[in-house]
Amino acid sequence: YSIFVAINLRPGIIPDEPYRFEVSQYFSETLQIPEDVPIAIEYGDDLQRNPFLGYWIFGRALNIHNLVSPSANERQQLIFLRVFNLLFSVGSVIYTYLLAKEFFQNKWLQLLPVFLITNTLMFVFLSSGVSYDNPTNFAGAASIYYLVRVVNKKAFMKNSLKWLIAISFGSLIKRTILPLALISGIIWIIFVIRNKPIIPKKHFKNLNIIFLMVILAIFIGFNIYIYGFNLIKFQSLLPKCLDTFSKEVCENSVFNIRYQKLALANKLTVVQAFKQGYPDPIRYVFDVWIREILKRIFGIMGHLNYYPIVISYFHIALYWMIILAARYIRKPSFKICGLFSIFIFYAIVLIYTNYNSELIYGFKQVALQGRYIFPVISTVYIIYAYILNNVSNKIIKYATLTATILLFLYAGPIRFIWYCNSVFADW
C-alpha cells in the first residue's frame, strides 16, 4: 500500500511534507545542523535548539541517494525519501508483531495486531510520506517492546538499555515521545521495586552491554545538549519563537499567522467555555475528542481530508470492546496493566493538549491529529487482541473478530486507493 502511495501521491498532501523535505535537503548539505534555513525561519523553527535527529538521518539518506543517482531530480529525491520513511514504519510493524509474541502463544493472534495496524488508513498514509513522525513511531514501538521484555523478566540489563536507547533516540526526533518516556519510566521503576532484579557484575564486562551503554551515553548527551540547555536558558523544553528569533520574524511565521487568523481574542477559561456552550473537559472527551480522533486515525486529515463513511462503526467498536473487557477480563497481569497505563497516560496528555488548544481557538479542532497517538498505537491493538482472547463465548468472539476484519478492510487503504485517485499524480 505505502509503496504505491509513495510513488504516486501528489506533493503537498502528506501533513507538513513540503517543509520536512526541504529541511532534509538542507541537512544533506552538511554533517552538522544547518543555519539560516529560509523555510525553518518562515515557520519560526530554530533547528539549533529543537530535536534534529530525524532531519539529520533524512539528510544522510539523501546523501546516499545522490551518490547512487547524482543526476536525480527533486521528484526522484522525494520518492526515495518517502520509501526510506517507509522503512521506519516497517520497523514499527515488526515491533508490533514482536510485542504481540510477548503476550500471546497463538500464532494467529500474534498476527492480528499486525493486520490491524497495516490496515489503519492514516498509519499507512503517513508511512508513505516524508515525516519525522515515522521514526518517532518506530522509536515508540521499539521502546514499548523492550520494556515489556523487561517486565517479562527477560535479560533485564540488556532490554533495559535497549528501552532507554529507543526512548532517547525518539526524543531526539520529536518531543512528543517524552510522555511515553515518563510513563514507561514509572512502570520500569515499579517493576524494579517489586522484583528487585539482580545484575551480575560480569554484565559490565560483556561487550554487547558495553556497546549499548556507549550508544545510550551518546544519545543522553545529545538530549542534555537540547533539552538541558533549553531548560537552563529558556526555562522550557523547547524555546518559543521570540526566544531565538526577532519579533518581525515571529509575527510573520506560519504559526503566528494561523493564530492571528483562527484564535480567539482572549483564551477562554474552562468556566467561560462552559458558560458559552462549549463542552467541559469530561464531555469534550466523549462527545468530541474520541469521535474526532477516530476520524483522524481511520480517515485522513492533512492538507486534504478523507473520512470513510463507516467511521461511526469504529466508535461503536470501541465501546463494544470496553463492554467485553468489563465482562470477561478478570485479574489482569502487571504486564497488560502496564500496557494499558501507557496508552491511557499518553491519551490524557493528548487530551489535555487538545483541550488547551480548543480554549485558544474556540473549539475548532485545530492541531487535533490522529497521528499523534501513533507512538503508542501498538498498545491499542495488543489490548484489543488481549480482550478478544479472553472472551469465553465463542460466538461473540468470532463474530467480533469477523466484524473487525471486515471493517478494517472496508475502511482501509484498498478502498482509499481505489476511490481517491484524484490525489495521485500523473508524473
Side-chain angles (χ1 to χ4, degrees), residues 141-255:
S143 68
I144 293 169
Y145 167 70
Y146 290 119
L147 178 64
V148 169
R149 295 270 294 178
V150 170
V151 172
N152 270 345
K153 301 180 180 180
K154 296 179 178 178
F156 173 79
M157 184 71 171
K158 182 184 293 185
N159 285 306
S160 293
L161 288 171
K162 289 181 178 180
W163 158 64
L164 287 169
I165 287 171
I167 284 290
S168 301
F169 172 80
S171 62
L172 290 174
I173 297 170
K174 194 175 182 182
R175 68 170 179 173
T176 52
I177 206 78
L178 295 178
L180 175 57
L182 176 59
I183 185 60
S184 58
I186 292 171
I187 293 170
W188 185 87
I189 291 171
I190 293 173
F191 171 81
V192 170
I193 293 173
R194 290 181 58 178
N195 294 274
K196 299 178 177 61
I198 298 173
I199 304 175
K201 292 182 178 179
K202 65 179 182 179
H203 276 14
F204 296 98
K205 298 179 181 179
N206 185 293
L207 291 179
N208 290 332
I209 297 294
I210 293 172
F211 175 74
L212 292 174
M213 292 176 72
V214 170
I215 297 297
L216 177 60
I218 293 171
F219 282 163
I220 289 177
F222 279 112
N223 273 279
I224 293 173
Y225 168 76
I226 295 173
Y227 298 112
F229 180 90
N230 290 341
L231 284 170
I232 294 171
K233 187 169 184 178
F234 307 118
Q235 290 76 55
S236 62
L237 290 173
L238 297 180
K240 299 178 179 65
C241 183
L242 287 172
D243 289 331
T244 54
F245 291 107
S246 68
K247 183 178 180 180
E248 181 183 2
V249 167
C250 293
E251 286 179 346
N252 292 288
S253 72
V254 171
F255 294 113

Side-chain angles (χ1 to χ4, degrees), residues 96-114 382 385-386 388-390 397-398 401:
T96 299
Y97 171 67
L98 294 175
L99 182 62
K101 292 185 70 174
E102 293 294 317
F103 282 87
F104 312 117
Q105 296 296 320
N106 184 290
K107 292 184 178 181
W108 290 106
L109 204 58
Q110 292 169 0
L111 288 175
L112 179 58
V114 175
I382 297 296
Y386 177 84
L388 200 62
N389 190 45
N390 279 271
K397 175 188 286 190
Y398 289 111
L401 177 61

Side-chain angles (χ1 to χ4, degrees), residues 124-144:
V124 174
F125 186 71
L126 189 67
S127 301
S128 313
V130 180
S131 172
Y132 62 3
D133 287 304
N134 293 314
T136 304
N137 300 336
F138 168 75
S143 68
I144 293 169

Side-chain angles (χ1 to χ4, degrees), residues 260-322:
Q260 295 298 330
K261 183 179 179 180
L262 299 176
L264 301 173
N266 295 293
K267 179 184 175 181
L268 297 171
T269 65
V270 176
V271 175
Q272 289 172 336
F274 181 74
K275 287 181 178 179
Q276 293 183 29
Y278 295 119
D280 60 78
I282 300 299
R283 190 158 64 89
Y284 173 75
V285 171
F286 293 98
D287 290 353
V288 179
W289 191 83
I290 291 176
R291 181 187 69 247
E292 294 300 324
I293 207 76
L294 288 173
K295 285 169 64 177
R296 290 156 170 78
I297 291 173
F298 300 106
I300 287 171
M301 183 178 180
H303 293 72
L304 292 177
N305 298 336
Y306 165 79
Y307 302 130
I309 60 174
V310 294
I311 283 292
S312 58
Y313 290 106
F314 286 100
H315 209 157
I316 296 170
L318 171 64
Y319 288 112
W320 175 243
M321 294 313 297
I322 292 174

Side-chain angles (χ1 to χ4, degrees), residues 35 54 68 105 161 201 231 331 356 406:
E35 298 180 3
V68 176
Q105 296 296 320
L161 288 171
K201 292 182 178 179
L231 284 170
K331 296 181 180 180
N356 186 63
L406 293 176

